[in-house]
Amino acid sequence: MLPIGPLMREHRLIERMVEKLKKEIESIKKGNVNTVFIDTAVDFFRTYADRTHHGKEEDILFKELKKKKIAPELEKIIDELIQEHTTARNTVRNLIGAKDRYLKGDKNSIKEIENIFSNLIELYPTHIEKEDKKFFYPVMDYFSIKEKEAMLQKFYEFDRNMIHEKYGGIVDTIRKQTRNGESMRCIVCGYVYDPSVGDEEHEIKAGTLFEELPDDWVCPVCFAAKKLFEKVE
């Protein structure tokens, strides 16, 4: 099997999710905002489409291609794809913010959510078509059979690590929620800041109280602001 096989299968699932967004827009236009669906969409695009699918491309495929002398037009496509990945991440981040404002009673956020869904609907099919028709098969010519097999194995290992990271994080969150009342939970994604642990990603040392965090500190998972945290009882 070619290494692009798993990537193209992931494309098909992303396309199905995009179709779900189209149907959800019709409901939003009537003023019906399903925040549970938004949370599901955020998790899908952030964990599956970005960190898993785009992660394999950026951390494995693109890095391997950097070792090769590929055609300039393919190098250009790589740059375009990376920029589109960044756009997708920012769009999902904006969706989280719009949902938060909606929950606080901001009716203007309904149109914003609709527009964000439309942006994702426009972005992903074009992005996928570019990879499927103009990129994946041509770049495979630069790899030997042995290199392709090694890359495919890296893809499988990457997926396994992502599964452990995701569900290990869920268990860790539950564990933290059982601790003292100084822990604070993100109302957007459920991440729990535990003072006894700190925040390694932002170099916050263990023992730092939530109140002592910098004003510009954000959730390390979904980038929500401090004000969007609540006390864990």
Side-chain angles (χ1 to χ4, degrees):
M1 178 187 294
L2 291 175
I4 58 175
L7 297 178
M8 296 184 77
R9 284 199 303 271
E10 289 164 5
H11 277 175
R12 306 291 77 81
L13 187 56
I14 294 171
E15 287 171 338
R16 287 164 59 188
M17 186 60 174
V18 168
E19 290 302 313
K20 295 295 184 182
L21 293 184
K22 293 178 181 178
K23 293 182 179 180
E24 194 65 23
I25 281 184
E26 297 304 314
S27 180
I28 294 175
K29 287 180 177 178
K30 299 176 183 178
N32 302 318
V33 179
N34 186 340
T35 56
V36 174
F37 176 84
I38 293 177
D39 288 339
T40 301
V42 167
D43 181 66
F44 177 86
F45 285 109
R46 173 166 281 171
T47 303
Y48 186 81
D50 187 27
R51 298 187 65 197
T52 302
H53 177 72
H54 293 165
K56 287 200 287 289
E57 292 177 339
E58 294 182 0
D59 294 347
I60 301 175
L61 177 58
F62 294 174
K63 286 185 178 180
E64 292 298 323
L65 285 170
K66 290 295 183 181
K67 302 175 185 178
K68 309 286 185 179
K69 187 174 178 59
I70 64 176
E73 58 268 24
L74 294 176
E75 291 183 346
K76 181 175 181 294
I77 290 179
I78 290 178
D79 291 338
E80 292 174 353
L81 295 175
I82 291 175
Q83 181 58 50
E84 289 164 7
H85 292 175
T86 301
T87 299
R89 292 179 191 124
N90 292 336
T91 303
V92 172
R93 187 179 300 120
N94 292 339
L95 179 59
I96 294 171
K99 189 206 76 169
D100 292 340
R101 289 188 289 276
Y102 171 77
L103 290 174
K104 292 179 179 179
D106 182 3
K107 298 302 181 182
N108 293 328
S109 62
I110 296 178
K111 185 62 179 178
E112 184 178 358
I113 292 171
E114 179 187 335
N115 290 338
I116 292 172
F117 276 11
S118 296
N119 290 340
L120 290 171
I121 290 169
E122 180 179 358
L123 172 64
Y124 270 103
T126 303
H127 177 81
I128 287 172
E129 183 178 19
K130 181 186 299 183
E131 290 185 331
D132 284 354
K133 296 184 177 181
K134 298 181 179 180
F135 184 72
F136 280 160
Y137 284 106
V139 299
M140 286 297 102
D141 292 338
Y142 291 91
F143 298 105
S144 66
I145 294 177
K146 186 175 181 180
E147 287 174 326
K148 292 173 184 176
E149 291 174 347
M151 192 185 308
L152 188 61
Q153 185 60 36
K154 288 181 180 180
F155 283 175
Y156 289 146
E157 292 173 358
F158 189 97
D159 285 343
R160 284 197 295 269
N161 290 337
M162 279 298 304
I163 290 174
H164 287 298
E165 178 182 336
K166 177 176 176 62
Y167 290 100
I170 290 175
V171 172
D172 191 47
T173 295
I174 294 173
R175 176 180 61 81
K176 291 176 180 179
Q177 289 173 348
T178 64
R179 295 184 177 182
N180 61 54
E182 292 180 338
S183 296
M184 299 291 288
R185 180 192 298 110
C186 176
I187 65 175
V188 177
C189 70
Y191 165 82
V192 173
Y193 175 80
D194 184 350
S196 67
V197 176
D199 175 11
E200 182 178 353
E201 182 171 339
H202 293 119
E203 299 181 348
I204 302 296
K205 296 181 179 179
T208 303
L209 298 178
F210 186 82
E211 294 76 12
E212 297 172 338
L213 295 173
D215 292 337
D216 59 352
W217 180 86
V218 295
C219 174
V221 176
C222 72
F223 310 102
K226 281 181 66 177
K227 63 182 180 180
L228 296 177
F229 277 69
E230 62 182 7
K231 186 176 181 180
V232 177
E233 299 297 335

